[in-house]
């Protein structure tokens, strides 16, 4: 007998499981919704055994009562073993035998070092259950793999086996492995599956800083403006005195990020790239420059912020965030803050200003939010409270409505204008810790009459594990100003402590929310 007793025991146990399993029970093993069963069927269970030599293995298995067919090479498993142990020259074959309504798939490994055999026997890395996709195409495979990932299964490699003309996609979860088998070669689905591998995904995350700099350099050089004008790589490199091949490589990277569209050495803007133009509404070009500049440097000292709980910006630049940018208007901080103005137009739609006559925008920056509110509601008067160094930019931005708008130089740490029916705090509270936030809210409350409403525009941290930009901005605030993003429940507590009652919370673009609260 060329198979050890341990191998035969493994075979027998798998055969028992296969006999009493079907598509639904296999899906249940992995916690996958049974609706997936409409697109696949239970195909086999698999084990790895270690015969003394591959030649007599089929006879040994037949003698054990398994009606195995001919052996074929296993390209996928051989590759997995090579990556796992770095051992070349391994001989891996596949034998199949019917068991009940399905099959057992038996991988045979010969010529392996003893430590590899011992490790595989102990951990059973290659043991798995397999589902056959009934009508494989890109849409079906995308839906199936998405369902498996949603169930918590992690992509675990895969490949195309030309010997049997099938594509296999491996997943793992709960200490077990699941395989999707699709007849034919599905190169696109395989590539996408391999990109979901944890190592691939982590590398994407780890190179995020490279993406930031690539976009920031494109924004600083205004490459989007040049491409929008139909200029070639040769034209742009000549106009900007750039190294032509290096420019081409940057543009190719940006195309890989979805910022550009590539056709050979010709590049065009995508919808993402259009937002880097300086001549389009709601351009994000100033924000991209800022994120690749001062904010990039302060984020580089994140560890210091995590260790101390204090913002790293002041340590890097020697001054607090607001003072630093106030002294350096050329850095374009106010322009950058106005760049995400797509949220402001939605505020007038999300809140009914009909009953109001006077709106006060506290620390309203360049006045973009106030401008859009006044534009949408012609009966309103407005007051903008801002630092004196910001007011010239606000005056220029509010030109069309200065006849019904007052600009007040001041600081909400001292006083807030009285007489408003609605008060605005847009992207202010996240700059401060809870104690400072409470002081700001109480100062606003002292200027407000009973029944007056406060509108807070902030990103809300999700109460659960839902994805949100707020989580990234929460760490960004830690680094740059010592503030934080908060959940709605957190804001309810803060507002309640200052005498406000939250009346509504409405979603806005870019994961912002409009939180309305009434005083008194």
């Amino acid at each position: 007998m060329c198979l050890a007793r341990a191998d035969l025991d493994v075979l027998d146990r798998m055969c028992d499981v296969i006999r009493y399993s079907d598509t639904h029970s296999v899906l249940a093993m992995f916690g996958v919704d049974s609706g997936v069963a409409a697109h696949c069927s239970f195909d086999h269970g698999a084990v790895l055994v270690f015969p003394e030599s591959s030649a007599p293995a089929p006879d040994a298995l037949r003698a054990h009562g398994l009606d195995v067919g001919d052996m074929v090479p296993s390209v996928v498993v051989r590759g997995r073993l090579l990556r796992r142990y770095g051992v070349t020259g391994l001989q891996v074959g596949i034998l199949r035998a019917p068991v009940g309504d399905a099959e057992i798939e038996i991988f045979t490994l010969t010529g392996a070092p003893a430590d590899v055999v011992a490790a595989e026997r102990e951990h059973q890395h290659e043991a798995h259950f397999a589902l056959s996709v009934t009508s494989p195409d890109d849409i079906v495979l995308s839906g199936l793999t998405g369902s498996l990932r949603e169930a918590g299964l992690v992509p675990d490699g895969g490949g195309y086996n030309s010997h049997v003309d099938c594509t296999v996609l491996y997943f793992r979860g709960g200490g077990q492995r699941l395989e999707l088998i699709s007849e034919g070669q599905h190169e696109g689905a395989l590539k996408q599956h391999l990109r979901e591998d944890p190592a691939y995904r982590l590398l994407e995350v780890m190179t995020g800083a490279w993406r930031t700099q690539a976009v920031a350099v494109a924004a600083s050089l205004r490459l989007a403006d040049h491409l929008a004008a139909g200029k070639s790589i040769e034209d742009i490199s000549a106009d900007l005195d750039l190294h032509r091949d290096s420019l081409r490589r940057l543009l190719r990277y940006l195309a890989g990020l979805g910022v550009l569209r590539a056709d050979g050495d010709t590049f065009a803007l995508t919808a993402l790239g259009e937002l880097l133009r300086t001549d389009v509404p709601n351009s994000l070009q100033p924000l991209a420059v800022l994120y690749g500049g001062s904010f990039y440097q302060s984020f580089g000292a994140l560890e210091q912020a995590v260790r101390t709980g204090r913002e790293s910006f002041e340590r890097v630049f020697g001054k607090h965030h607001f003072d630093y940018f106030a002294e350096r208007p050329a850095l374009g901080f106010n322009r950058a803050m106005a760049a995400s103005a797509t949220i402001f137009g939605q505020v007038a739609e999300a809140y009914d200003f009909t009953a109001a006559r006077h709106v006060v925008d506290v620390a309203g920056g360049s006045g973009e939010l106030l401008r859009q509110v006044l534009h949408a509601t012609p009966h309103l008067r407005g007051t903008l409270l801002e630092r004196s160094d910001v007011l010239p930019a606000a005056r220029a931005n509010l030109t069309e409505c200065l006849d019904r708008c007052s600009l007040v130089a001041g600081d909400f740490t001292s006083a807030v204008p009285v007489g408003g029916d609605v008060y605005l705090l847009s992207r202010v509270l996240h700059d401060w810790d809870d104690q400072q936030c409470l002081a700001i809210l109480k100062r606003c409350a002292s200027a407000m009459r009973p029944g007056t409403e406060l509108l807070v525009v902030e990103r809300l941290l999700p109460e659960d594990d839902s994805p949100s930009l707020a989580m990234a901005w929460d760490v960004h605030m830690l680094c740059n100003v010592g503030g934080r993003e908060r959940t709605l429940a957190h804001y309810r507590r803060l507002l309640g402590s200052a005498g406000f009652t939250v009346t509504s919370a409405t979603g806005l673009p870019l994961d912002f929310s409009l939180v309305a609260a009434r005083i008194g």
Side-chain angles (χ1 to χ4, degrees):
M1 172 63 71
C2 72
L3 286 172
R5 182 70 254 174
D7 291 338
L8 295 175
D9 289 343
V10 167
L11 286 167
D12 291 342
R13 285 195 296 271
M14 179 57 79
C15 287
D16 287 342
V17 174
I18 293 170
R19 288 190 185 95
Y20 296 103
S21 296
D22 60 15
T23 306
H24 291 279
S25 64
V26 170
L27 290 170
M29 288 182 198
F30 293 90
V32 180
D33 189 282
S34 60
V36 170
H39 301 284
C40 55
S41 61
F42 178 38
D43 187 87
H44 67 260
V47 295
L48 176 63
V49 297
F50 310 92
E52 295 173 1
S53 64
S54 59
D59 291 337
L61 292 167
R62 292 182 188 114
H64 194 63
L66 293 171
D67 186 16
V68 297
D70 295 333
M71 183 180 290
V72 296
S74 175
V75 177
V76 176
V77 174
R78 184 179 63 197
R80 289 172 59 84
L81 292 167
L82 173 61
R83 289 190 295 275
R84 192 175 298 138
Y85 300 107
V87 179
T88 59
L90 297 176
Q91 299 177 43
V92 184
I94 307 175
L95 291 160
R96 292 182 176 85
V99 176
D101 294 329
E103 285 187 330
I104 185 168
E105 186 172 84
I106 305 162
F107 299 114
T108 64
L109 172 60
T110 57
D115 59 335
V116 171
V117 173
E120 287 298 312
R121 276 202 169 119
E122 178 182 358
H123 299 292
Q124 294 291 313
H125 291 299
E126 299 306 323
H128 66 262
F129 295 92
L131 301 173
S132 178
V133 182
T134 50
S135 299
D137 60 32
D138 287 347
I139 295 175
V140 169
L141 288 174
S142 177
L144 283 174
T145 56
S147 295
L148 297 182
R149 291 196 301 272
E150 287 177 9
L153 274 68
V154 177
D156 192 33
Y160 171 69
N161 192 333
S162 60
H163 297 282
V164 290
D165 187 29
C166 73
T167 301
V168 294
L169 309 177
Y170 286 112
F171 295 83
R172 56 183 166 84
Q176 301 184 93
R177 296 181 62 243
L178 181 67
E179 175 187 9
L180 279 187
I181 306 170
S182 299
E183 183 179 346
Q185 186 170 11
H186 302 276
E187 186 175 353
L190 177 60
K191 283 184 177 179
Q192 184 57 44
H193 176 72
L194 295 177
R195 291 189 184 112
E196 296 294 335
D197 180 271
Y200 190 101
R201 296 292 301 276
L202 183 57
L203 281 173
E204 284 190 316
V205 172
M206 289 162 58
T207 56
W210 304 353
R211 299 178 179 209
T212 301
Q213 280 302 308
V215 173
V217 169
S220 180
L221 294 173
R222 303 195 172 191
L223 297 181
D225 291 350
H226 289 274
L227 290 171
K231 293 184 179 180
S232 66
I233 291 178
E234 289 74 14
D235 296 332
I236 298 172
S237 59
D239 290 349
L240 300 180
D241 192 25
L242 304 175
H243 185 263
R244 185 174 64 183
D245 184 59
S246 298
L247 172 61
R248 179 186 62 81
R249 292 161 68 179
L250 172 60
L251 296 177
R252 184 178 60 192
Y253 181 40
L254 291 168
L257 299 179
V259 177
L260 304 179
R261 184 171 50 254
D263 181 10
D265 272 357
T266 301
F267 295 87
L269 299 172
T270 63
L272 275 67
E274 287 285 340
L275 292 173
L276 292 177
R277 292 174 58 177
T278 60
D279 59 348
V280 297
N282 303 319
S283 168
L284 295 181
Q285 187 266 351
L287 206 59
V289 173
L290 186 63
Y291 284 176
S294 305
F295 285 170
Y296 187 86
Q297 294 177 61
S298 66
F299 214 100
L302 172 61
E303 182 177 340
Q304 183 266 342
V306 172
R307 287 185 179 279
T308 65
R310 296 179 57 84
E311 68 269 25
S312 51
F313 191 98
E314 187 168 355
R315 176 174 179 176
V316 173
F317 294 102
K319 288 202 170 188
H320 189 272
H321 170 283
F322 293 116
D323 295 331
Y324 180 83
F325 285 115
E327 294 173 3
R328 296 165 177 80
L331 293 177
F333 174 75
N334 291 323
R335 290 196 308 274
M337 291 302 98
S340 51
T342 51
I343 65 169
F344 296 141
Q346 303 289 324
V347 171
E349 299 175 17
Y351 181 82
D352 184 2
F353 287 92
T354 304
R357 290 293 178 267
H358 183 195
V359 59
V360 178
D361 192 356
V362 179
S366 66
E368 181 61 23
L369 172 56
L370 183 59
R371 186 186 72 80
Q372 296 211 30
V373 168
L374 294 179
H375 178 77
T377 48
H379 71 275
L380 271 179
R381 290 184 301 108
T383 296
L384 178 74
L385 174 69
E386 250 304 350
R387 290 164 46 142
S388 57
D389 60 285
V390 180
L391 288 184
R395 186 177 301 278
N397 192 37
L398 291 163
T399 300
E400 65 182 66
C401 50
L402 280 177
D403 58 331
R404 51 194 179 100
C405 182
S406 301
L407 305 184
V408 177
D411 188 337
F412 54 69
T413 61
S414 301
V416 172
V418 299
D421 302 306
V422 177
Y423 283 72
L424 306 176
L425 275 177
S426 174
R427 299 183 295 180
V428 172
L429 297 179
H430 74 165
D431 289 333
W432 308 96
D433 63 27
D434 281 3
Q435 183 177 355
Q436 293 164 315
C437 272
L438 187 57
I440 294 167
L441 291 171
K442 286 182 175 180
R443 198 162 288 112
C444 289
S446 67
M448 298 167 67
R449 302 185 303 273
T452 304
E453 287 209 302
L454 174 68
L455 303 184
V456 175
V457 178
E458 294 288 358
R459 287 189 172 97
L460 298 179
L461 285 170
E463 306 279 356
D464 54 20
D465 59 356
S466 302
S468 171
L469 290 173
M471 290 179 282
W473 259 260
D474 187 34
V475 181
H476 172 66
M477 303 315 294
L478 167 65
C479 284
N480 283 286
V481 291
R484 66 187 309 143
E485 306 296 350
R486 298 172 172 88
T487 63
L488 178 58
H490 195 156
Y491 276 118
R492 283 186 191 276
R493 292 194 297 272
L494 280 174
L495 287 159
S497 297
F500 291 92
T501 300
V502 173
T503 57
S504 65
T506 307
L508 298 173
L510 304 179
D511 280 346
F512 281 97
S513 290
L514 176 67
V515 179
R518 184 174 287 113
I519 188 70

